[in-house]
Amino acid sequence: PICLALSLFLGIAAGGGIAMVLDLMDRSFHSPEDVGQTLSLPVLAMVPSLKPRPKEQWALIEGASVDSTVCAFHAPGSTQAEVFRGLRTHLLFASQDKPMRVISVTSPKPGDGKSTVTANLAFSMAQAGRTVLLVDCDMRKPRMDKLIGGELSPGLSEVLRDKHDPWASMQTFEEL
């Protein structure tokens, strides 16, 4: 019985010690506050998961070729779209002294939602009366044409290689 009790105590102590060491070594973010504290920057918005919605959930606009994940277009009054309105407001008020000319959306790995966030932010900015020039700079897997219903060609690579005039390559979406 003494050996069993001692083994149980040492096992619990060793397990607790290993758990504490692993917790101290953990460098991942667990909340938006962790990100802000670590980077010494403010967190402007926390974007929810925007999976494609079934047609019944949002009244998708008839004839629109905009993807259902672009909630700022299909459901501007939804809580998901409110996140992008909040982000838009943060960005506009952060640059009151000097008007913001360029916003870049990036992430460290594919599939993080850069295109979806960019499309929603662009629609949110346009709904606030701002003129938006949306440039899909993803050379590996451009998706903006699928998200907002534009044409893939001519693309940025053709413009950069001087094969197309940048002004002639722009597509307008004033009806949206």
Side-chain angles (χ1 to χ4, degrees):
I2 294 175
C3 286
L4 181 63
L6 186 61
S7 299
L8 183 63
F9 174 75
L10 289 176
I12 290 172
I18 291 171
M20 284 178 43
V21 168
L22 290 175
D23 190 46
L24 290 172
M25 291 175 51
D26 183 14
R27 301 236 181 240
S28 61
F29 299 120
H30 298 286
S31 70
E33 292 79 23
D34 289 349
V35 175
Q37 288 174 350
T38 303
L39 300 176
S40 300
L41 294 169
V43 175
L44 300 180
M46 183 151 164
V47 177
S49 176
L50 296 172
K51 294 182 173 43
R53 304 282 180 181
K55 289 188 176 187
E56 304 82 44
Q57 189 166 5
W58 287 341
L60 297 181
I61 296 172
E62 287 278 329
S65 55
V66 177
D67 190 84
S68 66
T69 58
V70 185
C71 57
F73 176 75
H74 287 291
S78 68
T79 56
Q80 292 90 348
E82 178 62 32
V83 171
F84 296 102
R85 285 194 301 275
L87 178 57
R88 172 194 71 201
T89 303
H90 280 295
L91 291 171
L92 293 176
F93 280 120
S95 65
Q96 278 184 329
D97 299 338
K98 185 178 174 186
M100 188 175 313
R101 308 282 297 170
V102 176
I103 298 172
S104 176
V105 178
T106 186
S107 75
K109 60 184 182 183
D112 280 348
K114 298 174 288 292
S115 298
T116 305
V117 167
T118 303
N120 276 290
L121 184 58
F123 274 104
S124 181
M125 289 284 206
Q127 288 165 351
R130 301 288 179 160
T131 301
V132 177
L133 174 63
L134 181 59
V135 180
D136 189 358
C137 294
D138 191 340
M139 299 298 227
R140 191 178 57 82
K141 265 180 124 175
R143 282 200 58 224
M144 207 53 66
D145 62 313
K146 292 174 188 71
L147 285 173
I148 64 170
E151 294 179 24
L152 183 60
S153 185
L156 181 63
S157 59
E158 285 94 355
V159 171
L160 292 175
R161 287 184 297 179
D162 289 332
K163 292 197 176 205
H164 282 279
D165 177 33
W167 297 107
S169 300
M170 285 195 279
Q171 301 170 34
T172 59
F173 297 94
E174 296 191 25
E175 296 301 314
L176 299 177

